[in-house]
Amino acid sequence: MLPIIPIREALTDPNLLGAELSGASWLPMRTLAIAAMGEPLTEDERPIFSKLTGGRECESLQRAKRLVVVAGRRSGKSRIAAALAIYFALLCDHSHNLSVGEVGVVLVCAQNVEQAKVVFSYCLGLVQSQPILCKELANATALTVTFKNGIQISVRPSSFRGLRGVTCVAAICDESAFWFTEESASTNPDSEIINGAIQPALMTTRGMLIVISSPYARKGVLWKFYNKHFGPKGDPLTIVAQGASRDFNPSIDEDEIQAALEEDYALAQSEWLGQFRTDLEGFLSMEAIRACVAPGVYEIAPSFDLTYSAFVDAATGSGQDDFAMAIGHLEGDVLIVDALRAFTPPFSPENVVTELSELLSYYGVTRVHGDNFASGFVRELFTKKGVAYEPVKLNTSELYLNLLGTINAKKIQLLDDTKSINQLANLERRTGFAGKDRVSHPVGMHDDVSNVIAGLSSVIRDTDGFSLDMFLRAYGGKPTLYEERAQRKAREEEERRKQEAERQSRKGAEQADAEPSSIDDESSSVTRIIQL
């Protein structure tokens, strides 16, 4: 990477990027960018650099390999990411690092598609607002800008598979602390993506990696960079900066931040003060969960001689939550999860309950447990299908806390289901008021499938031994499929016993008929001997 124009000039020139980033409020971000490119700082900028980097006295005057910025909300992270992407794409020369015909990509990786679109709109807006930059534009698609020099700015959502096979001249990771995904095989998808896909794509070009994010839990790439390199003892070529929202954007109302701190200090400290949360920790390890999984087992067919229980986590179908259900049984003191279902919105609750009721009938279940969410509406839907709905008294956190020992002691057999495994692994334990722990999913994720597993584990021992005959006598109605199968099995067993009895009877008769013939033969032999 050879700068065509110094980054200080680019960020202050109103004909380039300065029209958007030249104000005093952008000074902290500009300072970090200038230091990262190895350019000297001014006497006014150096104290800002030292404060944000935890006491580094001065810049290294070498282009950094990595720039990591831990900042509170509304700090201008996405806008500076867009500006740096344009600088690397248009105002730096990468020809000496690219083969003939090879396309160099400035990769901007965002939390999800929606956030990727936000960053992309900043990129395209900055280019189109300046005639000098706009005339270099060759093409623009949904999330890609291509320039006449052959360099592309590609804004993509965080996905391990979607980031392989590109040659990056620079990479910018936006809000990496929140790259959660239920489809990832890892509980730290930011590590998987940055270390496994992005950094290898930068190796041949020696491009810069920039990670800009609000902090969250003390895990993942952002935390590891911060923990290892923040402060004067960190790698000089890895610049790690940390600041509150007002450190980067003094225009934010201080009263609003104070109000947020009073309402939820732990959350606001992370969101506005730029501090990693100390009240969060992982709840279940992936190793403990994997030890309970039956590899290659995705569902277990019902057995006539077992009693099954079920737990549902209902949803309306109009929001973002799944409507989920788990069915299982006990074998000794081990819970066997036999079936899982999850319906992703939009859906009709009536149609979902109809399908779930058929599955319940298949397993011979006539009573289902669930939480108190809209229990009246859920009970009515299940009752229409001949299934009793019983809300549990425990809340979600209590269900999860009950599940912890069950998993750690391997007293549960889980299905080989990616969504449920990752939802369990991504659960977080929070220290609540009065020291009471709360367990829930991370921000922006879901726990509907893991919740029904926890609920099933909690209620199944209470429901084990539940008499189906007593329930049917109490409620009457049409016999269930379970009862029909049980009756058919009893008839088959009775028929088998009758056939066995008849077989034994015929065998005895044949033996009785054969005995006189044997006596006559002996008498005849005696008579012949006397005659002789």
Side-chain angles (χ1 to χ4, degrees):
M1 180 190 300
L2 298 175
I4 300 172
I5 297 175
I7 194 168
R8 177 186 295 278
E9 180 180 342
L11 294 177
T12 55
D13 189 337
N15 295 315
L16 297 174
L17 303 173
E20 291 291 329
L21 305 173
S22 61
S25 63
W26 287 101
L27 179 59
M29 285 293 189
R30 288 201 310 269
T31 298
L32 294 174
I34 292 168
M37 288 301 296
E39 297 179 18
L41 299 175
T42 66
E43 293 299 321
D44 293 334
E45 293 167 340
R46 198 163 287 119
I48 298 174
F49 176 80
S50 180
K51 175 185 177 182
L52 294 176
T53 57
R56 296 193 185 192
E57 294 182 357
C58 60
E59 67 279 20
S60 67
L61 297 178
Q62 301 179 68
R63 184 167 64 84
K65 295 180 180 178
R66 292 170 287 268
L67 171 62
V68 180
V69 181
V70 182
R73 296 186 65 182
R74 313 305 300 171
S75 298
K77 297 185 293 293
S78 296
R79 291 177 67 182
I80 194 65
L84 292 174
I86 295 169
Y87 177 77
F88 292 136
L90 272 180
L91 304 178
C92 294
D93 180 18
H94 307 280
S95 58
H96 59 291
N97 288 324
L98 299 173
S99 303
V100 176
E102 187 175 21
V103 177
V105 176
V106 177
L107 178 66
V108 182
C109 192
Q111 176 185 1
N112 48 44
V113 174
E114 290 73 20
Q115 185 64 22
K117 291 178 179 178
V118 171
V119 178
F120 180 77
S121 66
Y122 284 141
C123 288
L124 191 59
L126 283 171
V127 171
Q128 292 177 337
S129 66
Q130 300 301 325
I132 294 178
L133 302 178
C134 190
K135 71 178 184 180
E136 300 299 324
L137 181 62
N139 187 36
T141 59
L143 292 175
T144 300
V145 177
T146 304
F147 297 101
K148 293 178 181 178
N149 63 0
I151 303 296
Q152 291 182 348
I153 296 177
S154 180
V155 184
R156 305 185 186 185
S158 55
S159 168
F160 179 77
R161 296 176 180 84
L163 298 176
R164 299 178 67 86
V166 298
T167 300
C168 293
V169 297
I172 303 170
C173 303
D174 185 54
E175 297 292 8
S176 66
F178 300 91
W179 288 1
F180 303 113
T181 171
E182 293 176 354
E183 284 68 40
S184 171
S186 169
T187 55
N188 290 322
D190 60 335
S191 303
E192 187 178 83
I193 294 168
I194 294 174
N195 297 332
I198 295 179
Q199 294 207 98
L202 292 166
M203 290 183 66
T204 58
T205 64
R206 296 179 176 85
M208 187 185 300
L209 171 67
I210 299 176
V211 181
I212 307 179
S213 179
S214 296
Y216 190 59
R218 293 179 294 177
K219 64 179 182 179
V221 169
L222 189 72
W223 166 252
K224 289 179 180 178
F225 277 140
Y226 173 83
N227 194 42
K228 185 176 182 180
H229 298 293
F230 183 69
K233 295 183 179 180
D235 180 1
L237 299 184
T238 300
I239 298 176
V240 178
Q242 181 188 39
S245 299
R246 282 181 56 82
D247 290 332
F248 290 100
N249 185 2
S251 65
I252 296 177
D253 191 343
E254 179 66 26
D255 291 338
E256 292 186 9
I257 295 177
Q258 290 301 320
L261 288 168
E262 292 175 3
E263 181 176 350
D264 188 335
Y265 184 81
L267 175 62
Q269 188 180 38
S270 173
E271 293 281 286
W272 299 107
L273 302 186
Q275 301 293 319
F276 286 91
R277 295 188 65 161
T278 59
D279 64 323
L280 292 178
E281 61 182 29
F283 181 61
L284 293 165
S285 70
M286 180 63 83
E287 292 75 17
I289 297 168
R290 286 289 183 188
C292 298
V293 174
V297 179
Y298 307 104
E299 189 160 310
I300 302 174
S303 178
F304 299 137
D305 56 350
L306 295 175
T307 300
Y308 295 91
S309 299
F311 193 96
V312 298
D313 186 354
T316 62
S318 58
Q320 297 182 344
D321 293 335
D322 290 354
F323 197 132
M325 183 176 76
I327 297 176
H329 71 279
L330 280 178
E331 289 190 6
D333 60 348
V334 177
L335 165 61
I336 308 297
V337 180
D338 295 280
L340 290 172
R341 291 292 186 273
F343 297 84
T344 302
F347 55 76
S348 165
E350 291 83 359
N351 294 340
V352 169
V353 170
T354 297
E355 185 170 339
L356 293 181
S357 298
E358 293 175 356
L359 183 66
L360 290 169
S361 178
Y362 183 54
Y363 281 86
V365 179
T366 52
R367 177 176 63 168
V368 65
H369 290 81
D371 58 25
N372 282 298
F373 168 78
S375 58
F377 125 81
V378 179
R379 180 187 289 110
E380 182 180 353
L381 292 178
F382 275 106
T383 300
K384 289 180 180 179
K385 300 299 178 181
V387 178
Y389 181 86
E390 184 174 327
V392 295
K393 296 179 180 179
L394 301 180
N395 59 39
T396 301
S397 289
E398 292 168 333
L399 294 176
Y400 281 134
L401 291 170
N402 286 346
L403 179 65
L404 178 61
T406 301
I407 287 183
N408 288 339
K410 296 179 66 175
K411 296 298 183 180
I412 184 172
Q413 178 180 293
L414 299 169
L415 295 175
D416 195 351
D417 175 73
T418 300
K419 176 179 279 191
S420 63
I421 291 170
N422 286 323
Q423 284 190 4
L424 286 169
N426 282 318
L427 290 172
E428 295 175 339
R429 184 201 294 259
R430 295 171 170 85
T431 302
F433 297 108
K436 187 175 182 180
D437 285 352
R438 294 180 294 122
V439 181
S440 184
H441 56 80
V443 177
M445 292 193 69
H446 302 279
D447 66 343
D448 312 293
V449 184
S450 61
N451 184 33
V452 296
I453 293 174
L456 179 65
S457 175
S458 184
V459 305
I460 194 167
R461 288 170 177 82
D462 295 332
T463 59
D464 188 46
F466 168 74
S467 173
L468 178 64
D469 292 334
M470 290 176 60
F471 179 87
L472 292 176
R473 280 198 298 269
Y475 288 86
K478 183 180 178 181
T480 65
L481 181 60
Y482 181 91
E483 185 183 32
E484 292 175 355
R485 290 201 307 267
Q487 291 175 349
R488 183 170 63 251
K489 181 181 179 182
R491 290 195 298 268
E492 291 172 352
E493 181 65 21
E494 180 65 23
E495 183 65 24
R496 189 191 65 78
R497 287 197 295 267
K498 288 181 179 180
Q499 292 175 356
E500 179 65 19
E502 291 177 358
R503 189 181 69 81
Q504 293 293 338
S505 177
R506 287 195 301 270
K507 183 177 180 181
E510 291 172 355
Q511 291 176 348
D513 292 341
E515 287 176 356
S517 174
S518 176
I519 294 174
D520 291 344
D521 290 343
E522 291 180 359
S523 299
S524 298
S525 299
V526 172
T527 302
R528 284 195 299 272
I529 292 172
I530 294 173
Q531 290 175 349
L532 291 173

